[in-house]
Amino acid sequence: MIKTEVVIVGAGPAGLGCAALLKQMGIEDQELIVLERGEVGESFLRWPESMRFITPSFPCNGYHQTDLNAITPDTSPAFNAGKEHLSGKEYAKYLNMVVNHYKIPVTTQTELLEVSSIGPSDGFYLRTSDSEIQCKFLIWAGGEFQSPSMNAFSGAELCQHNTHIRDWQALEQGHYVVIGGYESGVDATFNLAKSANKVTLLDCKPNDGDTYDPSQVLSPYTMERMKSIADNKDIDYDGEFEVSSVYKEGDEYVVQSTDGNEVRTPFPPINCTGFEMDLGPVSDLFVYQDNGYPWVSAFDESTKRRNLFLAGPRLYHDPTLLCFIYKFRGRFAAPCRVIGSELELDMSVMKHYRQAGMVLEDMDCCKQQECFC
């Protein structure tokens, strides 16, 4: 039995961001374990070769403007990559550099199989693929990339989820149907069209809402790419096509809408409907809201089990979804402040994080539109 104070599940930006903050607060190596089922930045290593960050990176830390994709105030993915829009592999390299710089103890190729509560204040028992661990604090930062949405409509199993495509250029040329018109759907359409394919992009609602929240509308980067292919006659866009089912008829796949319209393609439709809610072995230790997101306290702690925290893209404080790195990194301080206080760590680094804009406490700022033009 390995005994430690803190276990963080996931060596992506959320998990490593919390770990780096705890290290700066003075937590000892034997008091912290980061568990990763694959390698550091595993989700980014699995990105399609052509996929890029929609949020730009820029090394402006010296001007008190933290890189949007950085997970600590003093690092910048753009500094070493020399790019604004990094690939998955380039970002995974950045995450490895963070691990090495802050000397974060990460155990890779280790899957968490079971989590059980020892008692109200006695911590957790964890069983992994090769060890047993007892800890007082647990931060779930498992992300969502490993749980693609495969049940959004009838026949979704006949489709190919966009996360399962490693190289768009390697696909056979022809007519493809892309289901979902948000960021990943436009990315798929852009890359398929770039390879001289005919593409039909289906969406159930146009991305022209009255909100400025980038979690709900297309990013400027994606809008720019969409405009660049707007005149491509091989691309058809239907913004009012709500998919009800997909089935195979002979050698064709038929995508049918709720009002009876259909589109046919010789290839499995590309499913770009996002990801399922999956908190793995800690799923039963959270209470869920009507919209499916876990209830968390002001410290991002489970309302059902003390000392269990949530970090990453599934973090939701009504009405704000903290799904991008530059959003959820503002909450690294929430669980770390609780842990640091109980372990009597050095909390002075919080001032540095606050000056860098990486401490988000007042959610009211997220409820108002601050961009007037």
Side-chain angles (χ1 to χ4, degrees):
M1 175 72 71
I2 301 172
K3 292 188 177 182
T4 189
E5 296 288 350
V6 183
V7 171
I8 299 175
V9 182
L16 296 178
C18 290
L21 179 51
L22 289 171
K23 288 289 291 184
Q24 292 172 84
M25 293 166 65
I27 196 169
E28 301 291 339
D29 285 351
Q30 65 270 20
E31 296 177 320
L32 173 66
I33 297 174
V34 178
L35 297 177
E36 171 54 52
R37 70 195 302 182
E39 298 295 332
V40 171
E42 180 69 22
S43 294
F44 298 95
L45 292 173
R46 294 185 182 185
W47 273 16
E49 291 290 334
S50 57
M51 185 173 283
R52 297 292 182 268
F53 267 71
I54 60 174
T55 46
S57 284
F58 198 84
C60 49
N61 304 52
Y63 302 94
H64 308 290
Q65 299 289 328
T66 308
D67 188 318
L68 285 176
N69 300 310
I71 59 173
T72 73
D74 303 309
T75 60
S76 171
F79 184 75
N80 288 285
K83 293 182 178 180
E84 285 191 359
H85 297 277
L86 280 70
S87 69
K89 289 181 179 178
E90 289 165 338
Y91 194 74
K93 181 179 179 181
Y94 159 73
L95 293 178
N96 272 284
M97 294 175 72
V98 170
V99 169
N100 294 331
H101 178 76
Y102 293 100
K103 297 180 173 58
I104 299 172
V106 180
T107 302
T108 58
Q109 298 299 329
T110 302
E111 186 164 3
L112 180 60
L113 303 175
E114 179 184 353
V115 175
S116 56
S117 174
I118 299 175
S121 301
D122 297 325
F124 305 89
Y125 165 81
L126 285 66
R127 183 170 64 87
T128 75
S129 52
D130 57 10
S131 64
E132 296 178 344
I133 305 172
Q134 183 177 330
C135 65
K136 184 175 182 180
F137 303 96
L138 179 61
I139 299 178
W140 178 266
E144 57 182 18
F145 194 81
Q146 74 280 358
S147 304
S149 175
M150 302 300 291
N151 300 296
F153 44 83
S154 175
E157 70 278 0
L158 297 174
C159 302
Q160 191 170 11
H161 200 274
N162 70 296
T163 57
H164 295 158
I165 298 173
R166 305 306 296 270
D167 186 356
W168 293 102
Q169 294 183 353
L171 298 181
E172 184 180 352
Q173 281 195 321
H175 173 221
Y176 286 87
V177 172
V178 176
I179 301 172
Y182 193 46
E183 305 286 354
S184 58
V186 176
D187 179 75
T189 301
F190 178 86
N191 285 291
L192 286 167
K194 190 177 178 181
S195 299
N197 292 290
K198 182 177 180 181
V199 186
T200 300
L201 175 60
L202 305 176
D203 193 14
C204 60
K205 58 180 179 179
N207 284 287
D208 58 355
D210 57 359
T211 177
Y212 73 104
D213 186 348
S215 298
Q216 301 180 46
V217 297
L218 292 176
S219 67
Y221 176 72
T222 302
M223 287 291 291
E224 184 180 13
R225 300 172 89 196
M226 197 170 186
K227 289 177 181 177
S228 71
I229 58 176
D231 296 330
N232 191 325
K233 295 181 180 180
D234 288 330
I235 298 177
D236 291 324
Y237 172 68
D238 190 335
E240 297 181 352
F241 194 107
E242 183 176 357
V243 176
S244 63
S245 64
V246 173
Y247 59 93
K248 195 169 183 183
E249 190 173 271
D251 294 331
E252 291 185 313
Y253 294 85
V254 182
V255 183
Q256 194 166 50
S257 71
T258 53
D259 56 8
N261 293 326
E262 64 178 41
V263 180
R264 294 173 178 262
T265 171
F267 306 111
I270 309 298
N271 181 355
C272 297
T273 57
F275 304 90
E276 301 283 358
M277 175 69 71
D278 182 10
L279 301 186
V282 301
S283 295
D284 293 338
L285 300 180
F286 283 91
V287 177
Y288 296 88
Q289 305 178 49
D290 292 339
N291 60 9
Y293 289 96
W295 281 108
V296 292
S297 72
F299 300 103
D300 299 345
E301 185 177 27
S302 167
T303 58
K304 185 176 182 179
R305 180 62 179 86
R306 186 172 180 268
N307 293 341
L308 170 61
F309 302 91
L310 178 64
R314 285 301 179 181
L315 195 55
Y316 179 82
H317 285 274
D318 188 23
T320 305
L321 176 59
L322 301 159
C323 59
F324 289 126
I325 292 171
Y326 69 87
K327 285 187 171 186
F328 64 67
R329 72 180 183 188
R331 300 297 298 174
F332 293 163
C336 292
R337 183 180 284 115
V338 175
I339 296 170
S341 178
E342 295 206 28
L343 296 183
E344 298 182 346
L345 302 178
D346 182 2
M347 309 284 279
S348 62
V349 70
M350 290 295 183
K351 180 179 180 181
H352 182 44
Y353 269 65
R354 184 172 282 104
Q355 290 174 336
M358 288 186 63
V359 177
L360 177 60
E361 296 172 306
D362 184 4
M363 293 295 176
D364 287 341
C365 69
C366 304
K367 298 177 183 179
Q368 304 176 22
Q369 180 168 338
E370 298 181 352
C371 305
F372 295 102
C373 59

